[in-house]
């Protein structure tokens, strides 16, 4: 079955200002390559060629990426300034269910593209185990290995890293749920993962473990400098 990918690139990246004042965060370069291109490279290594980038803030700048990579389609998210990232999945809802689908943040630095080549038996979130307490997005997992909660805060939990994979049937369930939730008053600030959490009884999601060395989340200029320094030290 053909696999597709939705890359969410609509956000304003305010935590990385001033770098993002004139450049979308996914196009910020790390060690000479933009973050979104490391995601694309990993997907290409897996054989995924149909990639949809959901744009918003400074969206016209992604035209250069589209022109260099065959198979990329840009989707405009007109609500990125007034709604949370549920708006990006909603903008790409017609892609959900066309086949098995990756949903990825576009502002990730993938240091090991092999994480995309893993054999994925079913729908899953990629996750990194974090010992102790975390205030970030985490997964509660049942004894039989299925995710029972997607939400913030937890102890000794797998943390969300920005990559998920939905089999076609589950992608269709997600499409239906996101579409139903989108225009409900009060849902403007939902994360799309909140919708996933609300339909876990209809899905069988597991966690696909990755190591912190394989995927790097960069949220600030200080973190960017630290990552680049670490990468340069390993090359010397």
């Amino acid at each position: 079955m053909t696999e597709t990918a939705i890359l969410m690139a609509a956000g304003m990246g305010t935590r990385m200002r001033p770098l993002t004042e004139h450049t979308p965060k996914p196009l910020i370069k790390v060690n000479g390559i933009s973050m979104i291109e490391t995601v694309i490279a990993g997907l290409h290594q897996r054989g995924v060629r149909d990639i949809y980038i959901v744009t918003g803030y400074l969206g016209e700048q992604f035209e250069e990426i589209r022109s260099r990579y065959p198979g990329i389609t840009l989707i405009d998210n007109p609500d990125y300034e007034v709604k949370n990232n549920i708006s990006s999945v909603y903008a790409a809802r017609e892609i959900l269910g066309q086949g098995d689908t990756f949903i990825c943040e576009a502002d990730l630095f993938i240091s090991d593209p092999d994480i995309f080549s893993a054999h994925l038996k079913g729908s899953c979130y990629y996750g990194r185990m974090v010992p102790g307490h975390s205030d970030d997005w985490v997964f509660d997992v049942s004894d039989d290995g299925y995710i029972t909660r997607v939400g913030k805060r937890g102890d000794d939990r797998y943390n969300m890293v920005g990559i998920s994979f939905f089999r076609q049937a589950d992608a269709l369930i997600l499409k239906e749920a996101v579409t139903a939730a989108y225009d409900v008053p009060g849902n403007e600030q939902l994360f799309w993962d909140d919708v996933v959490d609300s339909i876990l009884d209809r899905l069988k999601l597991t966690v696909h473990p990755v190591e912190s060395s394989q995927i790097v989340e960069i949220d600030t200029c200080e973190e960017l400098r630290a990552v680049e320094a670490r990468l340069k030290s390993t090359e010397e």
Side-chain angles (χ1 to χ4, degrees), residues 125-141 149-163 207-211 215 217:
Y125 274 92
Y126 283 45
R128 182 185 72 248
M129 175 55 70
V130 175
H133 182 75
S134 173
D135 287 322
D136 291 330
W137 285 86
V138 303
F139 308 110
D140 290 353
V141 180
R149 181 179 74 97
V150 179
K152 291 190 176 182
R153 291 178 293 279
D155 298 314
D156 301 315
R157 295 287 190 271
Y158 281 103
N159 278 36
M160 187 182 293
V161 297
I163 300 174
V207 175
H208 177 71
V210 295
E211 301 296 328
I215 178 170
E217 298 173 83

Side-chain angles (χ1 to χ4, degrees), residues 107-194:
D107 56 354
L108 304 172
F109 181 74
I110 308 298
S111 50
D112 180 8
D114 284 344
I115 64 173
F116 282 103
S117 299
H119 175 61
L120 304 174
K121 296 180 180 179
S123 301
C124 61
Y125 274 92
Y126 283 45
R128 182 185 72 248
M129 175 55 70
V130 175
H133 182 75
S134 173
D135 287 322
D136 291 330
W137 285 86
V138 303
F139 308 110
D140 290 353
V141 180
S142 65
D143 291 339
D144 57 358
Y146 292 107
I147 295 174
T148 59
R149 181 179 74 97
V150 179
K152 291 190 176 182
R153 291 178 293 279
D155 298 314
D156 301 315
R157 295 287 190 271
Y158 281 103
N159 278 36
M160 187 182 293
V161 297
I163 300 174
S164 59
F165 176 75
F166 289 83
R167 291 291 187 194
Q168 183 177 27
D170 290 331
L172 284 168
I173 293 172
L174 177 61
K175 173 185 177 179
E176 176 189 341
V178 167
T179 301
Y182 194 66
D183 289 325
V184 174
N187 284 353
E188 294 82 5
Q189 295 310 311
L190 281 182
F191 291 88
W192 76 271
D193 308 282
D194 289 318

